[in-house]
Amino acid sequence: MPVVDGVELPETPLLDELEKGPWPSFVKEIKRAAIEQEKAMKAGKKIKLPGSAKGLLKVLELAYKEKRTHWKHGGIVSVIGYGGGVIGRYCDLEDKVPEVWHFHTIRVNMPAGWFYTTKALRALCDAWEKWGSGLTNFHGSTGDIILLGTRTEHLQPMANALAYLDKFYGSPAPFDIGGSGSDLRTPSCCMGPSLCEFACYDTLKACYEFTMRYQNELHRPMWPYKFKIKCAGCPNDCIASKARADFAIIGTWKDEIQIDQEAVREYAKVIDIEEHVVKKCPTKAISWDGKELKIDNKNCIRCMHCINVMPKALKPGKERGATILIGGKAPFVDGAIIGWVAVPFIPENELIEKCCEILEAIWEWWDEEGKFRERVGELIWRKGMDEFLKVIGQKADVRMVYAPRNNPFIFWRELNP
Amino acid sequence: MPELEVKGKKLKLDEDGFLQDWEEWDEEVAEALAKDTRFGPAIELTEEHWKIIKYIREYFLKYGVAPPIRMLVKFCKKEVNPNCDLQYIYKLFPQGPAKDACRIAGLPKPTGCV
Ligand code: HEM
Ligand code: HEM
Ligand code: SF4
Ligand code: SF4
């Protein structure tokens, strides 16, 4: 048995391969956790699952050796008042590796934009070291903090610890469980105006408002399947909302890109504007004569390229708001879907209220009409966009076209002949 | 795997406290499942609980699956209490319809995808 820091670790020749190379390694991290757990025990800390990180190494090594998983499918666990947010997981090696027979996951609602103080992080880790394996994942794909591995009887105490994390663990604020199953998944947003000059609306505020307003939908699954809301401040869409959210709110502007011509001329000294900006504009909406940059805003599709290249010279316009994209999802019943436009523009000051109105109309329709495991995008495909537009009270608009038809009988006129 | 003793008979449960064999269920089994504290707080079954348990059970026997939550809520509003909503159901079954109501109604564990 290899001994590290005075701690005996199980023999894991296959997993060790995954520690090689310059990149981060989950095996390295699990080993570190195993060492930390043992140290905590030796220091007399009362931890509930000693040896669980070690147990995880054993199960994983065996899975690699036998080329099959030892995690069983499904599991229904819960804490009081919540139908989602804790995910049951059992291992089929109850006798061989009892330390990880139960290995349930808890999703914790992350703060908007993933801003923490180290105090909050320490408190989370202290509570989880006590009630669980100590292993975490910052963050899961939905955005939640993931606490990996505990037993059924420790779920409720850990949920309580989160709810009183300020009182008993010194966190600046308590935490709540996130979403899972057929409920509203924890809403997420990009860091938006807190750090990014491109933000066209307050993504953090929107995310917080949705989270608070829809606590019932978030904690008590009631729908055909999951529903995700993500708030991106501009079309760069750093949180990939268009591919991952049923309801993506992407910041945009209606008027003209703001240009500081002096700053453009500064850029001209260090980059080739013709090559890197003008030619790269997908709709050829930019011209540059060496002194002045002109943008044909009617033909600008808000791709952000020119702004990303010259952030000191170009800014999104002043009339700001957001576009709502509907239907984005990963493959399951139908294949992957990229969200498409449901509402072309909502002004910033009406955004949250309007979104809530639309969300509630969508949920009512989808919950009534949707089949088991049918995401809202798939329901729209089945029922038709015209029916969906009636539900959300929108008129058809050319910007809602999912993809322009690829038709051999029509030849598009050259945009700039 | 855990077991539950009812009328001298040992019934097999799964890790989450669901009956392994849904055909072994009867009302006494339901009472025993509701009192079992290994899988959540004990529940004192009232008339309102029973209406919900029987609805879920009958739906399952007819269609082979648990009713969708939306139908359960509609049923409760009509037959149990006009003020019933999903939160009301969580008051009756604190760990929710899947973990508590379906378990006590003796349904096989709902297959869940998270
Ligand atoms: C009463 C007779 C016909 C009816 C009702 C009819 C109806 C239609 C419809 C509804 C479409 C789809 C249009 C769309 O995608 O937007 C279509 C497309 C088409 N039809 Fe007809 N059609 C008829 C006769 C014909 C005939 C006689 C021909 C050829 C000899 C023909 C060739 C085509 C072709 C090639 C397309 C594809 C056009 C495209 O993709 O843009 N159709 N037709
Ligand atoms: C050598 C002969 C032909 C060629 C090369 C040809 C080629 C094509 C092509 C490239 C398409 C478009 C497919 C797409 O949407 O991606 C098409 C569609 C179509 N063709 Fe032809 N075609 C031929 C003969 C015919 C004939 C003889 C008919 C009818 C009698 C016909 C009826 C249609 C129709 C109705 C469509 C539309 C199908 C749809 O969009 O669902 N084609 N054809
Ligand atoms: S999506 Fe836009 S606003 Fe949000 S962080 Fe990215 S660039 Fe900034
Ligand atoms: S944002 Fe994109 S489409 Fe619009 S002008 Fe800039 S490069 Fe062109």
Side-chain angles (χ1 to χ4, degrees), chain B residues 82-96:
Chain B
N83 300 322
C84 186
D85 56 11
L86 190 54
Q87 288 183 31
Y88 191 91
I89 295 175
Y90 274 81
K91 276 182 196 137
L92 295 172
F93 297 98
Q95 297 188 101

mmCIF file of all heavy atoms in Angstrom, chain B residues 82-96:
data_model
loop_
_atom_site.group_PDB
_atom_site.id
_atom_site.type_symbol
_atom_site.label_atom_id
_atom_site.label_comp_id
_atom_site.label_asym_id
_atom_site.label_seq_id
_atom_site.Cartn_x
_atom_site.Cartn_y
_atom_site.Cartn_z
ATOM 1 N N PRO B 82 -60.420 21.769 -1.228
ATOM 2 C CA PRO B 82 -60.404 22.762 -2.320
ATOM 3 C C PRO B 82 -59.179 23.674 -2.272
ATOM 4 O O PRO B 82 -58.814 24.272 -3.274
ATOM 5 C CB PRO B 82 -61.701 23.550 -2.114
ATOM 6 C CG PRO B 82 -62.260 23.128 -0.796
ATOM 7 C CD PRO B 82 -61.633 21.841 -0.396
ATOM 8 N N ASN B 83 -58.520 23.782 -1.105
ATOM 9 C CA ASN B 83 -57.326 24.635 -1.002
ATOM 10 C C ASN B 83 -56.050 23.888 -1.351
ATOM 11 O O ASN B 83 -54.952 24.422 -1.190
ATOM 12 C CB ASN B 83 -57.184 25.180 0.416
ATOM 13 C CG ASN B 83 -58.372 25.997 0.824
ATOM 14 O OD1 ASN B 83 -58.931 26.737 0.004
ATOM 15 N ND2 ASN B 83 -58.804 25.847 2.066
ATOM 16 N N CYS B 84 -56.196 22.676 -1.781
ATOM 17 C CA CYS B 84 -55.008 21.847 -1.971
ATOM 18 C C CYS B 84 -54.150 22.345 -3.128
ATOM 19 O O CYS B 84 -54.638 22.628 -4.211
ATOM 20 C CB CYS B 84 -55.436 20.403 -2.212
ATOM 21 S SG CYS B 84 -54.035 19.315 -2.285
ATOM 22 N N ASP B 85 -52.863 22.484 -2.867
ATOM 23 C CA ASP B 85 -51.893 22.708 -3.939
ATOM 24 C C ASP B 85 -50.691 21.823 -3.616
ATOM 25 O O ASP B 85 -50.747 21.020 -2.686
ATOM 26 C CB ASP B 85 -51.514 24.188 -4.054
ATOM 27 C CG ASP B 85 -50.976 24.746 -2.739
ATOM 28 O OD1 ASP B 85 -50.705 23.935 -1.824
ATOM 29 O OD2 ASP B 85 -50.824 25.965 -2.624
ATOM 30 N N LEU B 86 -49.620 21.994 -4.389
ATOM 31 C CA LEU B 86 -48.487 21.096 -4.194
ATOM 32 C C LEU B 86 -47.898 21.237 -2.788
ATOM 33 O O LEU B 86 -47.507 20.247 -2.152
ATOM 34 C CB LEU B 86 -47.420 21.376 -5.255
ATOM 35 C CG LEU B 86 -46.280 20.376 -5.355
ATOM 36 C CD1 LEU B 86 -46.790 18.954 -5.527
ATOM 37 C CD2 LEU B 86 -45.350 20.746 -6.504
ATOM 38 N N GLN B 87 -47.885 22.463 -2.260
ATOM 39 C CA GLN B 87 -47.326 22.650 -0.918
ATOM 40 C C GLN B 87 -48.166 21.939 0.139
ATOM 41 O O GLN B 87 -47.643 21.436 1.124
ATOM 42 C CB GLN B 87 -47.230 24.142 -0.608
ATOM 43 C CG GLN B 87 -46.126 24.781 -1.427
ATOM 44 C CD GLN B 87 -45.929 26.238 -1.118
ATOM 45 O OE1 GLN B 87 -46.150 26.681 -0.006
ATOM 46 N NE2 GLN B 87 -45.502 26.993 -2.111
ATOM 47 N N TYR B 88 -49.467 21.899 -0.103
ATOM 48 C CA TYR B 88 -50.365 21.191 0.806
ATOM 49 C C TYR B 88 -50.011 19.703 0.829
ATOM 50 O O TYR B 88 -49.975 19.072 1.886
ATOM 51 C CB TYR B 88 -51.811 21.404 0.336
ATOM 52 C CG TYR B 88 -52.864 20.943 1.317
ATOM 53 C CD1 TYR B 88 -53.382 21.819 2.275
ATOM 54 C CD2 TYR B 88 -53.349 19.643 1.290
ATOM 55 C CE1 TYR B 88 -54.351 21.409 3.164
ATOM 56 C CE2 TYR B 88 -54.318 19.210 2.183
ATOM 57 C CZ TYR B 88 -54.821 20.102 3.125
ATOM 58 O OH TYR B 88 -55.770 19.685 4.000
ATOM 59 N N ILE B 89 -49.719 19.165 -0.341
ATOM 60 C CA ILE B 89 -49.347 17.747 -0.419
ATOM 61 C C ILE B 89 -48.033 17.501 0.340
ATOM 62 O O ILE B 89 -47.862 16.487 1.003
ATOM 63 C CB ILE B 89 -49.248 17.296 -1.890
ATOM 64 C CG1 ILE B 89 -50.646 17.368 -2.538
ATOM 65 C CG2 ILE B 89 -48.674 15.886 -2.005
ATOM 66 C CD1 ILE B 89 -50.698 17.068 -4.006
ATOM 67 N N TYR B 90 -47.111 18.468 0.256
ATOM 68 C CA TYR B 90 -45.857 18.326 1.012
ATOM 69 C C TYR B 90 -46.095 18.413 2.521
ATOM 70 O O TYR B 90 -45.297 17.919 3.306
ATOM 71 C CB TYR B 90 -44.815 19.362 0.571
ATOM 72 C CG TYR B 90 -43.993 18.906 -0.614
ATOM 73 C CD1 TYR B 90 -44.495 19.007 -1.904
ATOM 74 C CD2 TYR B 90 -42.728 18.355 -0.460
ATOM 75 C CE1 TYR B 90 -43.768 18.589 -2.998
ATOM 76 C CE2 TYR B 90 -41.982 17.934 -1.554
ATOM 77 C CZ TYR B 90 -42.500 18.056 -2.815
ATOM 78 O OH TYR B 90 -41.761 17.625 -3.885
ATOM 79 N N LYS B 91 -47.196 19.100 2.918
ATOM 80 C CA LYS B 91 -47.496 19.134 4.347
ATOM 81 C C LYS B 91 -47.974 17.758 4.806
ATOM 82 O O LYS B 91 -47.644 17.311 5.899
ATOM 83 C CB LYS B 91 -48.539 20.209 4.644
ATOM 84 C CG LYS B 91 -47.892 21.575 4.788
ATOM 85 C CD LYS B 91 -48.905 22.654 5.142
ATOM 86 C CE LYS B 91 -48.285 24.010 4.886
ATOM 87 N NZ LYS B 91 -49.222 24.926 4.236
ATOM 88 N N LEU B 92 -48.738 17.093 3.949
ATOM 89 C CA LEU B 92 -49.204 15.747 4.296
ATOM 90 C C LEU B 92 -48.063 14.733 4.198
ATOM 91 O O LEU B 92 -47.911 13.853 5.043
ATOM 92 C CB LEU B 92 -50.340 15.330 3.359
ATOM 93 C CG LEU B 92 -51.646 16.136 3.459
ATOM 94 C CD1 LEU B 92 -52.605 15.735 2.353
ATOM 95 C CD2 LEU B 92 -52.307 15.934 4.817
ATOM 96 N N PHE B 93 -47.288 14.853 3.127
ATOM 97 C CA PHE B 93 -46.183 13.921 2.877
ATOM 98 C C PHE B 93 -44.896 14.748 2.789
ATOM 99 O O PHE B 93 -44.519 15.204 1.714
ATOM 100 C CB PHE B 93 -46.414 13.157 1.567
ATOM 101 C CG PHE B 93 -47.645 12.290 1.581
ATOM 102 C CD1 PHE B 93 -48.836 12.729 1.023
ATOM 103 C CD2 PHE B 93 -47.607 11.028 2.159
ATOM 104 C CE1 PHE B 93 -49.975 11.928 1.041
ATOM 105 C CE2 PHE B 93 -48.732 10.216 2.176
ATOM 106 C CZ PHE B 93 -49.921 10.675 1.624
ATOM 107 N N PRO B 94 -44.223 14.945 3.946
ATOM 108 C CA PRO B 94 -43.143 15.948 4.022
ATOM 109 C C PRO B 94 -41.998 15.726 3.033
ATOM 110 O O PRO B 94 -41.372 16.682 2.618
ATOM 111 C CB PRO B 94 -42.621 15.818 5.455
ATOM 112 C CG PRO B 94 -43.647 15.049 6.204
ATOM 113 C CD PRO B 94 -44.450 14.265 5.223
ATOM 114 N N GLN B 95 -41.735 14.491 2.658
ATOM 115 C CA GLN B 95 -40.637 14.278 1.706
ATOM 116 C C GLN B 95 -41.146 14.220 0.266
ATOM 117 O O GLN B 95 -40.420 13.820 -0.631
ATOM 118 C CB GLN B 95 -39.868 13.008 2.040
ATOM 119 C CG GLN B 95 -39.202 13.061 3.403
ATOM 120 C CD GLN B 95 -38.292 11.874 3.621
ATOM 121 O OE1 GLN B 95 -37.094 11.965 3.498
ATOM 122 N NE2 GLN B 95 -38.884 10.732 3.912
ATOM 123 N N GLY B 96 -42.385 14.620 0.063
ATOM 124 C CA GLY B 96 -42.894 14.760 -1.289
ATOM 125 C C GLY B 96 -43.634 13.538 -1.810
ATOM 126 O O GLY B 96 -43.590 12.460 -1.219
#
